[in-house]
Amino acid sequence: MVVLGRRTQAPKPLSRSQIVDDDSDSASDSEYGDVSCEECGSGDSPAELLLCDGCNCNRGYHLFCLRPILVHVPKGKWFGPCCSKNKKPKSFPLHQTKISDFFRIKRSADSLQKINQDNRKRRRRASSLVMSKKKRRLLPFSPTEDHTRRMQQMASLATALTATGTKFSNELTYRPRMAPRSANCAALEQGGMQVLSKEDIETLNLCKSMMDRGECPPLMVVFDPQEGFTVEADKFIRDLTIITEYAGDVDYLKNRENDDGDSMMTLLSAANPSKSLVICPDKHGNIARFVNGINNHTP
């Protein structure tokens, strides 16, 4: 028996023993049994063949033939390239108040004074942090001086986060029914945890304070129709420059071994695999979740 109605995932072709003589059911067999992929032309792998939910469309696409590739059948309605071609995500408003609220930027008279102090400190550190083979120091990022351009950079990130349903967070988050904060214990790291030097910790804290005030790293999040959201440097960035920390929900690796997330990052590799942790930025995250997007289809 074939159930009529809209569906996101194409059904598996019916076997001969399942075909009945009723005219209406035969028509349904013809409608859904001969679905093939618009990209490769094959009807193989029916479990990974999607039907476009566009008006009177029903064209099929393999998950692995789409660009970017889909790792799972999407929830709700899905529109294929035939009905969504060249559609770009809605841009976040280039409005300072909206951007400040989105990123929870802290601005006050005291913070403005702190900006000037940090700028002087950054200039001093940039000259003193000499790169050498023996001792390499991390460098703080240098924000774009042009205020309008900096707003555009932040708006590009807000656009990407909004389009992917991700709530902005620059911190690790611990959610109910996931790994607790106490599970993130450096002593569990297999082989020991690398420790930052005092100077590198100061550099990291300087970067954090700059981001809290809305002085973001010079990065632009762009939408690529083939690869999805990716990150581009908006100006030259020196080697070993801190641009962000990976942020998101913390969970046990064992809970995510069959997860279809495309941006997970290892947080803790424990000798006991059951205690290993990963960062999952699908619900909460920052620009780091888009940095690992790689454009691999153009020169």
Side-chain angles (χ1 to χ4, degrees):
M1 178 178 179
V2 175
V3 179
L4 298 177
R6 305 294 299 162
R7 65 193 78 198
T8 299
Q9 185 176 2
K12 294 182 180 180
L14 298 176
S15 64
R16 289 185 177 275
S17 61
Q18 292 175 299
I19 298 177
V20 294
D21 295 332
D22 184 85
D23 291 342
S24 61
D25 284 347
S26 297
S28 298
D29 294 345
S30 177
E31 179 183 1
Y32 293 109
D34 297 328
V35 176
S36 60
C37 176
E38 294 291 321
E39 298 293 332
C40 69
S42 170
D44 295 341
S45 304
E48 298 187 64
L49 194 61
L50 301 180
L51 294 183
C52 176
D53 286 318
C55 183
N56 299 320
C57 184
N58 279 334
R59 295 180 185 178
Y61 296 88
H62 283 123
L63 295 172
F64 47 81
C65 286
L66 292 166
R67 294 295 181 273
I69 291 173
L70 290 184
V71 294
H72 64 91
V73 177
K75 297 178 181 178
K77 289 188 175 183
W78 175 81
F79 299 96
C82 51
C83 294
S84 63
K85 195 171 184 178
N86 297 326
K87 282 190 176 180
K88 294 184 178 180
K90 184 178 179 181
S91 297
F92 194 86
L94 194 61
H95 189 280
Q96 182 168 345
T97 302
K98 292 183 180 296
I99 291 175
S100 296
D101 290 343
F102 185 91
F103 291 104
R104 301 186 295 278
I105 295 173
K106 304 170 184 177
R107 301 303 292 265
S108 65
D110 292 338
S111 68
L112 291 176
Q113 183 179 0
K114 187 72 163 56
I115 290 176
N116 294 329
Q117 294 174 350
D118 283 348
N119 284 339
R120 289 194 295 270
K121 182 187 298 184
R122 189 165 64 241
R123 284 194 292 268
R124 288 198 302 270
R125 286 183 59 76
S127 61
S128 63
L129 294 177
V130 179
M131 304 287 287
S132 66
K133 291 183 179 179
K134 292 183 178 180
K135 204 168 186 179
R136 295 166 67 88
R137 301 293 190 196
L138 298 180
L139 302 174
F141 64 81
S142 178
T144 301
E145 294 183 3
D146 183 79
H147 177 74
T148 301
R149 188 59 179 175
R150 200 159 65 238
M151 288 294 101
Q152 293 172 344
Q153 294 165 356
M154 299 181 74
S156 73
L157 173 56
T159 296
L161 292 172
T162 301
T164 55
T166 307
K167 187 176 180 181
F168 173 73
S169 174
N170 258 339
E171 306 290 339
L172 296 178
T173 47
Y174 299 87
R175 313 290 295 173
R177 296 182 296 279
M178 296 174 69
R181 188 181 299 271
S182 59
N184 187 9
C185 179
L188 297 176
E189 177 72 18
Q190 187 174 13
M193 185 72 74
Q194 185 177 5
V195 179
L196 288 177
S197 66
K198 179 181 177 181
E199 292 83 357
D200 288 344
I201 292 175
E202 290 177 354
T203 301
L204 178 60
N205 290 334
L206 173 60
C207 292
K208 287 182 176 181
S209 64
M210 286 192 291
M211 285 190 279
D212 285 343
R213 297 190 303 266
E215 290 188 291
C216 62
L219 303 172
M220 190 72 76
V221 184
V222 298
F223 181 75
D224 185 291
Q226 298 291 321
E227 303 293 337
F229 289 106
T230 59
V231 176
E232 296 178 352
D234 208 29
K235 71 174 187 178
F236 177 76
I237 301 176
R238 295 177 62 185
D239 186 29
L240 289 181
T241 295
I242 296 177
I243 53 174
T244 187
E245 286 187 287
Y246 215 88
D249 295 334
V250 178
D251 201 1
Y252 289 108
L253 173 62
K254 62 184 179 182
N255 296 340
R256 300 282 181 153
E257 288 180 338
N258 298 315
D259 194 280
D260 52 26
D262 61 354
S263 302
M264 285 190 293
M265 176 69 74
T266 300
L267 174 62
L268 185 69
S269 293
N272 182 350
S274 67
K275 296 184 178 181
S276 293
L277 302 176
V278 289
I279 305 172
C280 310
D282 50 335
K283 300 298 182 184
H284 300 83
N286 57 11
I287 198 170
R289 71 159 297 179
F290 304 114
V291 171
N292 64 359
I294 299 173
N295 182 329
N296 60 10
H297 73 280
T298 55

